[in-house]
């Protein structure tokens, strides 16, 4: 039975954000990224809400298997490719498009060329991030080998941006130029460059496919703005009930380590959420929480199952009231900035013991 700590999901927000992608990149097909359990929202439910996307992108074979087991038959792209020949076989069995970013992965596919169906091979090029991908100089050889396996398919190239969330920085333009120089030598090639930041800030990167992730869930890919400020709708509202209220005197302290000290007579509310639920332990005092129609400050260290907020100026707060940690009224990006992290991390670290509720038709 739930203790009342809940993440409420809004499929209409996902659909709205997907339409924002289509508006921003009208000529591109869309890989909707649902890795990391749909950025903490639930991969299957997110994919079902995003069914109008052209396909889904995941990081691992297990994530692809989860989608297939749920009856999702749309194209699936393995963003990191496969590790070893057995995984390559499983990717073929699941009908996944797969990324090739090193020689060994291509060798696995060459040994099973006769088993490949319609799934595509995407060659990932390292244009400067230096994380995954073949060097530009390796591209011609890799393309020849891929064409030998898939002679009737166009070549598919992709890359990943290192700093697309910094529009004033020149490096993304450098990466695009490097990538386009390769593409010009390959007539008929299909291209995929843009992540969420690329979709929003670099229209010259939209090409044939885009692969938005965080923006689909209503959080910001950067730019010093929240998702709400960027015109996105949050798909998750994380809430927890008030389970205790107490008055303390000026000078008294709250929480482990007695970090926070009351400067006045204060009223403290305890919420049923903590780092065991995924709320960061290192959240500092004054991190905002939404309660009874206004912001209240977190006070004291976050413990495993609880955290405390100062509700001295909100006298109407009662036991059982629901506090919003982020969501409809309080952007996850703003909360993340107080904590010293990013919205991606907060969303993906929500733990399994939090009740994730999707509306039923």
């Amino acid at each position: 039975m739930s203790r009342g700590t809940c993440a409420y999901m809004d499929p209409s927000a996902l659909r709205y954000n997907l339409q924002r992608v289509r508006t921003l990149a009208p000529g591109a097909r869309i890989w909707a990224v649902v890795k990391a359990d749909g950025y903490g929202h639930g991969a299957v439910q997110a994919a079902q809400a995003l069914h109008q996307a052209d396909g889904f992108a995941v990081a691992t074979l297990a994530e692809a298997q989860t989608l297939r087991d749920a009856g999702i038959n749309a194209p699936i792209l393995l963003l990191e490719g496969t590790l070893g020949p057995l995984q390559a076989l499983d990717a073929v069995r699941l009908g996944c498009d797969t990324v090739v970013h090193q020689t060994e992965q291509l060798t696995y596919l060459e040994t099973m060329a006769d088993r490949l169906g319609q799934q595509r091979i995407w060659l990932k090029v390292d244009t400067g991030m230096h994380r995954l991908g073949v060097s530009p100089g390796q591209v011609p050889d890799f393309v020849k080998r891929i064409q030998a396996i898939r002679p009737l398919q166009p070549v598919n190239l992709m890359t990943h941006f290192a700093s697309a969330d910094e529009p004033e920085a020149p490096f993304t333009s450098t990466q695009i130029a490097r990538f386009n120089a390769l593409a010009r030598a390959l007539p008929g090639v299909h291209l995929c460059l843009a992540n969420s930041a690329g979709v929003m800030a670099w229209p010259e990167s939209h090409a044939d496919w885009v692969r938005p992730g965080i923006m689909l869930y209503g959080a910001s890919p950067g730019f010093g703005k929240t998702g709400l400020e960027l015109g996105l709708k949050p798909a998750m509202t994380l809430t927890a009930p008030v389970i205790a209220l107490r008055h303390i005197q000026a000078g008294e302290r709250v929480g482990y380590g007695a970090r926070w000290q009351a400067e006045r007579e204060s009223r403290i509310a305890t919420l049923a959420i903590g780092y065991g639920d995924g709320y960061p332990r290192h959240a500092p005092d004054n991190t905002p929480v939404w309660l009874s129609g206004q912001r209240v400050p977190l006070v004291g260290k976050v413990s495993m199952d609880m955290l405390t907020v100062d509700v001295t100026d909100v006298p109407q707060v009662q036991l059982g009231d629901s506090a919003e940690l982020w969501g409809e009224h309080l952007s996850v990006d703003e909360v993340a900035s107080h904590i010293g992290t990013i919205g991606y991390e907060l969303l993906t670290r929500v733990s399994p013991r939090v009740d994730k509720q999707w509306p039923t038709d």
Side-chain angles (χ1 to χ4, degrees), residues 15-92:
R15 291 190 288 268
Y16 175 88
N17 297 329
L18 179 65
Q19 184 55 46
R20 283 273 289 146
V21 176
R22 291 214 183 275
T23 300
L24 290 167
R29 301 178 74 186
I30 299 172
W31 290 114
V33 183
V34 294
K35 64 181 180 177
D37 196 29
Y39 287 61
H41 295 66
V44 170
Q45 296 92 333
Q48 290 168 339
L50 295 166
H51 65 91
Q52 291 186 338
D54 299 290
F56 300 103
V58 297
T60 71
L61 198 62
E63 291 174 338
Q65 183 73 64
T66 296
L67 297 182
R68 291 291 189 240
D69 288 346
I72 293 170
N73 297 316
I76 296 175
L77 173 64
L78 294 173
L79 290 168
E80 296 174 17
T82 56
L83 182 64
L86 293 180
Q87 281 199 6
L89 277 171
D90 282 339
V92 171

Side-chain angles (χ1 to χ4, degrees), residues 18-342:
L18 179 65
Q19 184 55 46
R20 283 273 289 146
V21 176
R22 291 214 183 275
T23 300
L24 290 167
R29 301 178 74 186
I30 299 172
W31 290 114
V33 183
V34 294
K35 64 181 180 177
D37 196 29
Y39 287 61
H41 295 66
V44 170
Q45 296 92 333
Q48 290 168 339
L50 295 166
H51 65 91
Q52 291 186 338
D54 299 290
F56 300 103
V58 297
T60 71
L61 198 62
E63 291 174 338
Q65 183 73 64
T66 296
L67 297 182
R68 291 291 189 240
D69 288 346
I72 293 170
N73 297 316
I76 296 175
L77 173 64
L78 294 173
L79 290 168
E80 296 174 17
T82 56
L83 182 64
L86 293 180
Q87 281 199 6
L89 277 171
D90 282 339
V92 171
R93 175 180 57 82
L94 292 172
C96 293
D97 285 19
T98 186
V99 166
V100 166
H101 59 78
Q102 58 190 5
T103 302
E104 292 82 357
Q105 292 173 319
L106 183 53
T107 301
Y108 306 148
L109 295 173
E110 286 173 328
T111 64
M112 58 188 74
D114 59 335
R115 307 186 200 186
L116 297 178
Q118 295 302 308
Q119 59 263 46
R120 291 156 291 205
I121 298 170
W122 287 84
L123 179 60
K124 186 162 191 174
V125 183
D126 180 6
T127 55
M129 188 169 183
H130 300 321
R131 189 178 64 176
L132 295 177
V134 304
S135 68
Q138 293 176 292
V139 168
D141 179 60
F142 271 77
V143 167
K144 288 179 183 178
R145 292 171 64 182
I146 291 171
Q147 287 175 325
I149 301 172
R150 313 299 274 153
L152 301 180
Q153 282 192 0
V155 176
N156 304 290
L157 290 186
M158 67 188 303
T159 194
H160 194 67
F161 293 140
S163 53
D165 59 331
E166 302 173 16
E168 71 286 352
F171 190 56
T172 301
S173 293
T174 300
Q175 287 191 272
I176 293 171
R178 289 173 180 170
F179 191 81
N180 287 341
L182 293 169
R184 282 194 293 270
L186 299 167
V189 67
H190 287 182
L191 308 177
C192 181
L193 299 85
N195 54 5
S196 289
V199 169
M200 301 198 82
W202 299 90
E204 64 269 39
S205 75
H206 293 169
D208 303 292
W209 288 81
V210 295
R211 50 181 197 281
I214 194 67
M215 70 177 295
L216 293 175
Y217 305 93
S220 172
F223 315 116
K225 295 183 178 181
T226 68
L228 292 171
E229 290 170 335
L230 291 170
L232 304 171
K233 292 186 177 181
M236 176 194 293
T237 297
L238 179 65
T239 67
V242 175
I243 59 171
L245 287 163
R246 67 186 61 249
H247 290 273
I248 63 172
Q249 299 302 311
E252 291 190 297
R253 296 178 179 271
V254 172
Y256 284 122
R259 181 179 75 186
W260 184 81
Q261 184 176 26
E263 296 180 352
R264 57 178 177 169
E265 184 178 345
S266 301
R267 188 172 184 238
I268 304 300
T270 301
L271 308 182
I273 191 167
Y275 63 79
D277 304 287
Y279 196 93
R281 181 177 180 272
H282 64 281
D285 294 333
N286 298 314
T287 299
V289 173
W290 184 266
L291 180 58
S292 195
Q294 67 185 73
R295 293 163 183 253
V296 297
L298 182 148
V299 294
K301 287 185 179 178
V302 175
S303 53
M304 182 179 290
D305 310 304
M306 292 168 279
L307 59 78
T308 43
V309 295
D310 182 356
V311 295
T312 307
D313 297 324
V314 196
Q316 67 269 30
V317 171
Q318 300 179 5
L319 287 175
D321 284 356
S322 182
E324 178 183 308
L325 288 305
W326 61 71
E328 181 182 2
H329 301 96
L330 186 63
S331 170
V332 67
D333 305 301
E334 182 182 354
V335 176
S337 70
H338 279 268
I339 297 173
T341 185
I342 54 178

